[in-house]
Amino acid sequence: MSVITSLTVSLIKFVEVLIIKLGFAGVFFLMLLEGMLLPIPSEVVMTFSGYLAFYGLMDPFGPYPSVIILLLAGSVGDLVGAWIAYAIGKYGGDPFIIHYGKYFFLKSDTIERTKAWFSKYGDLSVFTTRFLPVFRTFISIPAGIATMDFKKFSVYTLTGDFIYNAVLIYLGILFGSHWELLLKYFDEYSYVGIAAFVVVIIYLVVRVMNSRKKRNIPLNK
């Protein structure tokens, strides 16, 4: 059994039952939880509900209105969850690092470095990470710590969510009742996303270390 299916198999039935019983409200609630960093797989939520909505198994509105409502419910739900995660980073980030950062080898200047990094790359990182499973929700915390402009954060988050969720819904429609076959592909996609994330982190660490070395090299007189 693949990593994603082994991790989500216990959640799939819960997601299915909740969506069938609550419809769009269930999708909104599940995506809100995902935006809050809880382990709710949006890939399961949106593909399954996309299949239900388009084929008339969720509501009586017809396929296309249902898909539009679904896209709005999922994207706005994820945005609201991202707002909560942003608030946690903004209002809990500084005290957390100041009081508990030493146990995680973090220093108080981590906050300032995070803010500086976000002032340069924040907009791009908030948008692009919305397409990476697992990491798409975690970006909200450092965005809050860096006090990224809230309007920009919301726009980039919602835009990324719309695109990502639209793709998931389309895949759910395309695969129909066989939507669960997509899980193995999401598994491979997650590995690619994780690998890309690790490469970026290594690059940033090396860059910071080289920068510190250059600052510590004494000038020859």
Side-chain angles (χ1 to χ4, degrees):
M1 184 175 289
S2 64
V3 174
I4 271 205
T5 51
S6 63
L7 290 176
T8 62
V9 68
S10 61
L11 290 173
I12 290 177
K13 293 302 179 184
F14 166 73
V15 167
E16 290 176 338
V17 170
L18 195 64
I19 292 174
I20 290 173
K21 287 188 175 181
L22 301 181
F24 298 120
V27 173
F28 176 88
F29 176 69
L30 289 168
M31 294 300 286
L32 184 150
L33 294 180
E34 193 225 14
M36 292 173 57
L37 314 184
L38 295 179
I40 301 296
S42 59
E43 294 80 16
V44 173
V45 175
M46 299 309 294
T47 52
F48 175 63
S49 56
Y51 152 62
L52 292 180
F54 188 79
Y55 291 100
L57 303 174
M58 180 181 281
D59 54 74
F61 297 119
Y64 296 106
S66 296
V67 167
I68 293 174
I69 296 172
L70 173 62
L71 180 59
L72 290 172
S75 300
V76 174
D78 202 37
L79 176 64
V80 174
W83 282 345
I84 296 173
Y86 176 94
I88 292 173
K90 182 177 180 179
Y91 300 107
D94 290 31
F96 177 84
I97 291 177
I98 291 173
H99 290 94
Y100 305 105
K102 60 183 179 180
Y103 300 109
F104 300 92
F105 304 101
L106 298 175
K107 299 179 181 179
S108 58
D109 63 346
T110 300
I111 299 171
E112 296 305 319
R113 291 202 305 271
T114 302
K115 291 178 179 179
W117 189 85
F118 253 84
S119 67
K120 190 173 183 179
Y121 305 108
D123 296 354
L124 181 62
S125 62
V126 167
F127 176 74
T128 55
T129 53
R130 304 312 295 181
F131 307 103
L132 296 176
V134 181
F135 301 106
R136 62 190 305 270
T137 56
F138 285 90
I139 194 65
S140 302
I141 294 289
I145 292 176
T147 61
M148 178 182 177
D149 181 81
F150 185 71
K151 290 182 179 179
K152 283 187 176 182
F153 172 78
S154 300
V155 169
Y156 282 108
T157 298
L158 186 60
T159 302
D161 283 337
F162 260 101
I163 297 172
Y164 189 67
N165 290 335
V167 172
L168 294 178
I169 291 172
Y170 174 74
L171 291 174
I173 295 171
L174 187 64
F175 279 73
S177 60
H178 303 292
W179 66 272
E180 289 188 2
L181 295 175
L182 290 164
L183 291 179
K184 64 178 181 179
Y185 299 107
F186 291 138
D187 189 15
E188 295 173 359
Y189 180 53
S190 295
Y191 283 130
V192 173
I194 292 170
F197 183 82
V198 171
V199 169
V200 171
I201 293 299
I202 293 175
Y203 167 76
L204 293 174
V205 170
V206 171
R207 185 173 177 179
V208 170
M209 292 177 64
N210 289 337
S211 177
R212 288 182 176 179
K213 287 180 180 179
K214 290 179 180 180
R215 289 198 301 266
N216 294 331
I217 294 176
L219 294 176
N220 294 324
K221 295 184 180 180

